[in-house]
Amino acid sequence: TLGAWGGRQEEPLRIGATVTVGTCVISPILMSVRRSLPNVDMSVFVSNTREIEERLLNNELDIGLVEGTVHSPELVHQDVIRDSMVLICPPGHRFWGAAKVDAAELCSEPLVLREKGSGTRASFEEQMSRLGYPVRVRWECSNSEAIKNAVKDGHGLSIISRRLVLDDLESGALFASDVAGLNLHRYFAVVYHKNKHIT
């Protein structure tokens, strides 16, 4: 998808990626683009969805690949990569081994979540709010490794992209469950300004 944005090869390409995308998706995509367009000068900025949106609106980025929803009508939003989020817990937790946990059960659990402005957090909190369930945030982190470590050490549970915990699930360091009542499926989306000249 991003390869079409290379334009004339002497032009820079400023790409924004949200934290989940920047951690496990953007690098192989850009390696592919670089093979096709070796002289394009690509730079990447990784942050949360809200900041990527602001930078696109201020023309500080040419394109974004985000996991959250952008709100400005000035931005074009195109879903491109399917993703799934899961509830993660550490060994010994009462949810360990449960294929599915009811959303109501999360009300009493301390949570380790991304910072405000994160698409992952926004989706989770909006769905819990619609159901009338409070969310108890114990830790806020902008780094997925910090979130996983906090969960492993028993500081709380988290909702996170399955892509980010595959190794931890395989090794038994974490366990992942679905959450009944929540839609944990989403798409990563390409976003750009509607007035951006597409070369």
Side-chain angles (χ1 to χ4, degrees), residues 143-176:
N143 178 289
S144 56
E145 285 301 314
I147 289 172
K148 292 192 295 181
N149 288 336
V151 173
K152 289 174 188 176
D153 290 341
H155 296 292
L157 309 181
S158 190
I159 298 288
I160 196 168
S161 172
R162 181 180 288 276
R163 295 169 189 266
L164 292 170
V165 293
L166 290 175
D167 290 344
D168 302 285
L169 300 179
E170 189 174 316
S171 71
L174 293 169
F175 183 81

Side-chain angles (χ1 to χ4, degrees), residues 16-81:
T18 48
V19 173
T20 301
V21 171
T23 302
C24 55
V25 175
I26 197 71
S27 179
I29 291 174
L30 296 192
M31 288 170 65
S32 176
V33 172
R34 187 165 282 118
R35 283 193 294 271
S36 302
L37 302 165
N39 297 320
V40 171
D41 181 21
M42 293 183 289
S43 60
V44 178
F45 172 77
V46 177
S47 188
N48 61 45
T49 303
R50 183 170 57 194
E51 187 158 1
I52 298 299
E53 179 173 0
E54 289 173 4
R55 289 188 176 227
L56 287 166
L57 291 170
N58 293 330
N59 196 31
E60 296 170 37
L61 293 171
D62 299 307
I63 188 170
L65 188 57
V66 304
E67 73 241 29
T69 302
V70 293
H71 301 284
S72 172
E74 300 298 305
L75 299 178
V76 176
H77 180 278
Q78 179 184 353
D79 291 341
V80 291
I81 300 171

